[in-house]
Amino acid sequence: MNVNRKVQTLDEFTIQQLRDFPQATGELSHLLRNIGLAAKRVNTEVNKAGLVDILGDFGTVNVQGEEVKKLDIYANDQFTGVLKHGIACAGIASEELDDFVAFDDAKSAKSKYVCLFDPLDGSSNIDVNVSIGTIFGVYRRKTEVGTVVTQEDFLQPGNQQVAAGYIVYGSSTMLVYATRRGVNGFTLDPSIGEWTLSHPDIKCPETGKIYSVNHGNFFQYEKAIQDYIQICQKKDKTNGGPYTQRYIGSMVSDVHRNLIKGGIFMYPGTIDKPKGKLRLLYECNPFAFIVTVAGGKATNGKENILDIQPTELHQRSPMFIGSTQMMEELETYL
Ligand code: AHM
Ligand code: MG
């Protein structure tokens, strides 16, 4: 029999990592496994998104008599459900929910982690078949294990993350996650329904050729940002410019590409929205953690994203993230 032992699944990988920590309880591996499971379910529905006219519109009742949910609500229910059901998560906060959810059953209260996520980021792209994603960050709770989690467990700076990751539902489906030990990427093998290690030990290139920003907002940006964008477009650069502009409008895909190829992604504040659009806790922080572990940098223009002490669950922050040398070049303008 021809067994390809080069293929390592997500479960095999996390269990192998556990062996290096004899005192580890396996809770984090369990949590990642749960996220992988919810992501597979979401992936199946995302792949059917174009069939919505045939299968029934969102909000209507489908042929099986079930209500067809909006995909971001469906994704939120999947991630919440699977984490509530598991043994590793004491509560969640989500872009889709006004407040955090404490899992108050005895089993969940004994868990040591909380998870914050954006279940389906970039969901306005679904209708036009553009890649979208899920983003998540995992923290060790501050309150005592055995009690019900409180807001304090969720309002932690990003540097307290134990793990963070994202799933990109693209031409293939990938789950990338980071712990302090490194960043690893797993591609979903649809033939066996398993996440398989395809991108071990991802490092963000020190520099790159791509800059990603919404140019439509150009005249809304402060002068320093406008100057930097123009530098990205100039020919007489010592650093190999002009750069290529790439902006999908789906942060998971944009940052994923720049992480692999090298580049810079920016969502600055604007005149109308000085704090920008992106949410600190479940959009900026997970990516800042992943890219930092991979060797890159992330700031809000003034300080490291990971050092910001959050005050609200849904607070926004400007975001600049990417290859170290490009970030340093940007900082000379800021
Ligand atoms: P969403 O959480 O409502 O989906 O919005 C977040 C998305 C990001 O994925 C993306 O980077 C950004 O919005 C694009 O915004 P804009 O269209 O203003 O450039
Ligand atoms: Mg979002």
Side-chain angles (χ1 to χ4, degrees):
M1 196 169 61
N2 182 11
V3 180
N4 181 359
R5 289 317 297 163
K6 277 191 192 153
V7 173
Q8 194 175 26
T9 67
L10 176 65
D11 286 348
E12 286 174 332
F13 181 82
T14 54
I15 289 166
Q16 200 176 71
Q17 299 262 306
L18 257 184
R19 292 251 160 100
D20 295 342
F21 291 100
Q23 74 283 15
T25 59
E27 265 187 66
L28 185 62
S29 317
H30 185 90
L31 191 148
L32 290 166
R33 177 178 212 205
N34 286 339
I35 286 178
L37 174 63
K40 283 192 239 178
R41 291 186 177 143
V42 172
N43 183 54
T44 304
E45 291 307 306
V46 167
N47 285 339
K48 287 196 289 194
L51 295 171
V52 98
D53 288 344
I54 306 169
L55 301 177
D57 265 337
F58 298 130
T60 61
V61 174
N62 70 14
V63 281
Q64 282 94 32
E66 304 152 339
E67 196 198 334
V68 182
K69 286 185 181 166
K70 275 188 75 179
L71 266 178
D72 32 20
I73 305 293
Y74 176 85
N76 183 60
D77 290 352
Q78 288 303 324
F79 284 100
T80 307
V82 95
L83 290 170
K84 183 169 168 53
H85 198 71
I87 53 135
C89 186
I92 58 106
S94 160
E95 187 187 74
E96 292 297 329
L97 304 171
D98 290 341
D99 211 348
F100 67 89
V101 178
F103 300 153
D104 54 5
D105 57 290
K107 165 178 63 75
S108 299
K110 283 191 193 138
S111 311
K112 58 179 174 203
Y113 297 115
V114 294
C115 185
L116 293 92
F117 52 81
D118 182 350
L120 213 53
D121 183 63
S123 50
S124 59
N125 286 311
I126 295 173
D127 292 349
V128 285
N129 216 346
V130 167
S131 301
I132 46 179
T134 297
I135 312 166
F136 64 92
V138 181
Y139 295 78
R140 193 166 281 121
R141 58 187 293 177
K142 303 281 276 181
T143 49
E144 210 177 310
V145 168
T147 62
V148 173
V149 290
T150 66
Q151 173 140 305
E152 177 195 3
D153 296 307
F154 296 91
L155 295 185
Q156 299 190 51
N159 56 29
Q160 295 301 303
Q161 285 170 108
V162 174
Y166 61 86
I167 295 107
V168 52
Y169 309 97
S171 39
S172 60
T173 303
M174 258 189 94
L175 185 158
V176 176
Y177 85 89
T179 61
R180 271 165 220 280
R181 304 177 76 194
V183 185
N184 290 281
F186 299 81
T187 301
L188 184 62
D189 179 345
S191 63
I192 53 169
E194 286 280 2
W195 299 104
T196 52
L197 181 62
S198 53
H199 295 62
D201 199 19
I202 296 173
K203 299 279 183 232
C204 181
E206 280 211 352
T207 190
K209 291 235 168 213
I210 298 170
Y211 76 103
S212 310
V213 71
N214 185 338
H215 264 279
N217 291 338
F218 185 85
F219 293 105
Q220 291 261 321
Y221 298 143
E222 64 179 273
K223 170 117 183 4
I225 310 285
Q226 293 179 348
D227 289 347
Y228 176 71
I229 291 174
Q230 282 175 338
I231 278 295
C232 291
Q233 302 167 333
K234 288 241 164 82
K235 236 192 172 144
D236 57 343
K237 279 159 49 79
T238 46
N239 56 2
Y243 298 148
T244 295
Q245 205 274 351
R246 291 279 181 270
Y247 190 73
I248 297 170
S250 187
M251 186 192 190
V252 178
S253 317
D254 277 315
V255 181
H256 174 69
R257 180 201 51 239
N258 293 4
L259 171 65
I260 305 288
K261 293 196 165 184
I264 187 166
F265 171 93
M266 300 176 271
Y267 205 109
T270 59
I271 295 169
D272 295 341
K273 294 181 183 162
K275 292 193 166 165
K277 176 181 185 188
L278 302 175
R279 315 287 187 140
L280 176 65
L281 289 182
Y282 39 79
E283 292 179 330
C284 305
N285 270 343
F287 274 116
F289 183 83
I290 297 161
V291 168
T292 303
V293 172
K297 274 185 106 172
T299 76
N300 66 356
K302 293 193 174 76
E303 63 176 317
N304 189 326
I305 290 277
L306 296 173
D307 292 338
I308 301 172
Q309 172 61 53
T311 52
E312 285 170 50
L313 223 41
H314 298 289
Q315 83 189 59
R316 297 176 198 267
S317 170
M319 171 84 152
F320 304 89
I321 184 166
S323 295
T324 315
Q325 279 180 28
M326 297 174 89
M327 287 293 293
E328 283 165 1
E329 187 185 24
L330 166 73
E331 276 158 19
T332 63
Y333 288 84
L334 302 177

